[in-house]
Amino acid sequence: MRNLWTKAGVFGSVSMAFGSMLWSQKNPDSDQASSPSGETDPSSLYELKLVQVLFRHGARTPLKSIPDVMEAQWVPTLLEPPAHTQINYEVTDLNGGPRPPAPVEDSYRKNILSGGSFSGQLTTVGMQQLYELGKRLRTRYVEQSSFLSSTFNPAEVYVRSTNIVRTIESAKCLVAGLFQQKEKEIVPIFTTASESEILYPNYHGCKLLKILASHRWAESSTLPDIAADLQRIQSALGIAAHQHIDFILIRDDMVAREAHGLPCPPVLDSWRTKVEQRAVDMICHVYEPSKRENLQLCVGPLMHKMLANIEGKLQGTSSEPKRKLFLYSAHDTTLIPCLMALGIFDMKWPPYAADITVELHQHRETNKPFVKVSYIDQDQLIPGCSGVYCPLDEFKQILSSYSLSSDLYQSLCNSKEDSTKP
């Protein structure tokens, strides 16, 4: 088992993941080091080759309501799709066959919120957010650079989503904004069965991750500072002591209400900053970024897939040589560990429709490959990279600490917890 972790890069530098969380996001405008020749506009030195966008779904109904407080009315009219977000699309498995069963979505359908809507459903507000993200991508990659065709072409664009309605609909809305409802043919949105999903930490498909994470989730609400604040807010809100709540649940309901202009308990006005802080503290405890193996199991296969897409483009081995854009529709619980692995988590919960965009560039003079990462439209200086335009070798070295091939991932997932202990 120790050999498995060694292969996965666990026993390299252990400080990168946690220490790099202290790096602040850097304004690319002030980073002239990103240009080898000191140009004020380094982008002119590079030719864009490939874009990968990992994004969170838009605003939605809450997963659970805060108990014992005034209810928000989640009426079905809040879920009506705007006409400009409609496109002709179909949801398939990764091979183009029928959509797999969706047990996660089925669980949401068992929970009806006050007002009549199901939990976890993309709303009109959320649909518009993803449409706007699509428009931003259109401005950059269609109108400004002519990198993409102005009409959707499946040879150019690959769309993958978790098999959950809100992420599928988010992908659809983004494509509508990106291509302004212009498609040559039906837009395929690819999904996979829950046990093989790599677009979120897969507690169902990875036994070891479930073992490692389950007690971290249980512990997260009992940490002294968090537990003390939780007791205080529970008392302030008048929530019965027997009700199980935590700061992530409170934040989820609070942010969902705010996004839709629905009333929150007045007590939360003075607690908002603390709720945000404690929710982030909890999720950091769960993902435990100081222990690399946890992030590996959370996002290792996804990192491996994104690196493979880059290599396929550079080596000319892609099955779709004309492919220029990969779209991955996912969750906050996907973006957070990815940001941690990249060393750019800013200790703020990713908002609805947040995106991590990874661009592959080629230097026009040297032909050497570079990677540029942005988060919510802000270029990032990745710790370990010599510039915002990061030489691919440096980028691969950083991700090698977390990337896991499918075979190694499965080997680790099926191992026992006690085998991971030194």
Side-chain angles (χ1 to χ4, degrees):
M1 175 63 193
R2 182 175 289 252
N3 288 338
L4 286 176
W5 282 121
T6 304
K7 290 179 182 178
V10 171
F11 298 111
S13 170
V14 296
S15 63
M16 183 184 301
F18 186 68
S20 60
M21 288 167 58
L22 302 178
W23 285 60
S24 62
Q25 294 186 20
K26 188 159 184 177
N27 185 337
D29 295 335
S30 64
D31 180 41
Q32 300 308 324
S34 62
S35 168
S37 62
E39 294 285 342
T40 56
D41 181 17
S43 62
S44 63
L45 297 173
Y46 302 91
E47 180 182 359
L48 184 60
K49 293 293 185 180
L50 185 71
V51 179
Q52 301 182 78
V53 185
L54 175 70
F55 56 94
R56 187 188 178 193
H57 56 77
R60 54 158 171 74
T61 59
L63 301 183
K64 294 181 181 178
S65 295
I66 304 171
D68 298 343
V69 300
M70 65 182 200
E71 296 274 6
Q73 295 301 305
W74 295 99
V75 295
T77 52
L78 291 172
L79 279 59
E80 292 178 354
H84 56 267
T85 65
Q86 302 286 41
I87 61 171
N88 192 11
Y89 73 103
E90 64 177 350
V91 183
T92 75
D93 66 14
L94 296 183
N95 298 314
R99 178 188 173 191
V104 177
E105 182 64 37
D106 292 343
S107 69
Y108 294 137
R109 303 277 162 164
K110 295 176 182 177
N111 184 20
I112 299 179
L113 303 169
S114 180
S117 294
F118 297 116
S119 64
Q121 302 304 301
L122 191 70
T123 62
T124 307
V125 172
M127 295 171 197
Q128 184 64 32
Q129 289 172 330
L130 268 296
Y131 182 82
E132 294 297 331
L133 175 57
K135 284 176 62 180
R136 166 156 67 80
L137 298 177
R138 179 180 180 83
T139 298
R140 180 172 180 84
Y141 299 117
V142 177
E143 297 170 355
Q144 293 180 348
S145 65
S146 300
F147 177 68
L148 294 174
S149 303
S150 60
T151 300
F152 177 86
N153 181 349
E156 273 192 354
V157 182
Y158 178 88
V159 188
R160 178 167 173 177
S161 171
T162 62
N163 192 19
I164 298 172
V165 169
R166 65 176 174 272
T167 49
I168 293 169
E169 291 182 345
S170 291
K172 176 207 74 169
C173 294
L174 185 152
V175 171
L178 176 54
F179 296 104
Q180 296 296 289
Q181 297 178 294
K182 298 174 183 176
E183 60 265 5
K184 292 181 178 179
E185 51 191 276
I186 295 175
V187 176
I189 299 178
F190 297 98
T191 62
T192 192
S194 58
E195 60 268 17
S196 57
E197 185 60 78
I198 66 171
L199 292 186
Y200 52 65
N202 195 334
Y203 304 114
H204 177 72
C206 182
K207 295 177 182 177
L208 179 58
L209 181 60
K210 184 175 182 179
I211 292 170
L212 292 173
S214 59
H215 74 278
R216 303 293 295 181
W217 276 106
E219 285 177 352
S220 63
S221 288
T222 64
L223 300 174
D225 290 345
I226 294 177
D229 281 338
L230 186 61
Q231 188 175 23
R232 283 193 287 269
I233 192 173
Q234 193 161 345
S235 175
L237 286 168
I239 299 173
H242 71 273
Q243 293 281 14
H244 175 73
I245 62 166
D246 60 46
F247 279 106
I248 292 178
L249 183 157
I250 295 171
R251 183 197 178 277
D252 185 74
D253 192 8
M254 179 182 73
V255 171
R257 293 182 190 223
E258 290 176 347
H260 300 92
L262 296 175
C264 278
V267 171
L268 284 181
D269 290 344
S270 60
W271 274 90
R272 196 189 193 293
T273 300
K274 182 65 71 174
V275 168
E276 289 280 351
Q277 175 193 340
R278 290 310 188 197
V280 170
D281 290 343
M282 284 183 64
I283 206 70
C284 285
H285 183 78
V286 170
Y287 289 138
E288 203 176 5
S290 61
K291 290 192 176 180
R292 187 169 307 180
E293 58 266 33
N294 289 1
L295 292 183
Q296 285 180 312
L297 293 174
C298 286
V299 294
L302 175 57
M303 296 284 187
H304 186 270
K305 171 63 71 175
M306 297 181 81
L307 284 175
N309 292 340
I310 289 173
E311 288 296 331
K313 189 67 174 181
L314 288 173
Q315 304 301 328
T317 56
S318 171
S319 59
E320 293 287 348
K322 295 183 179 179
R323 182 141 295 149
K324 294 182 176 182
L325 175 65
F326 289 87
L327 296 172
Y328 295 110
S329 186
H331 306 266
D332 48 4
T333 50
T334 316
L335 268 64
I336 291 172
C338 282
L339 292 167
M340 288 176 172
L342 290 167
I344 55 174
F345 184 51
D346 59 2
M347 300 301 286
K348 296 178 181 177
W349 203 280
Y352 297 126
D355 70 291
I356 301 172
T357 295
V358 179
E359 297 178 347
L360 171 66
H361 295 260
Q362 201 160 26
H363 197 281
R364 295 183 188 276
E365 296 175 1
T366 65
N367 288 328
K368 289 185 177 179
F370 289 78
V371 171
K372 183 159 74 73
V373 176
S374 64
Y375 175 53
I376 317 182
D377 206 28
Q378 292 293 315
D379 290 348
Q380 304 292 309
L381 178 59
I382 306 298
C385 284
S386 54
V388 169
Y389 284 84
C390 182
L392 179 59
D393 287 345
E394 294 178 4
F395 188 72
K396 287 168 63 177
Q397 180 63 32
I398 293 164
L399 289 199
S400 68
S401 302
Y402 305 101
S403 173
L404 287 178
S405 68
S406 178
D407 288 345
L408 185 51
Y409 174 72
Q410 289 301 327
S411 296
L412 291 171
C413 284
N414 292 324
S415 62
K416 295 181 180 178
E417 181 190 22
D418 58 6
S419 301
T420 69
K421 297 177 181 177

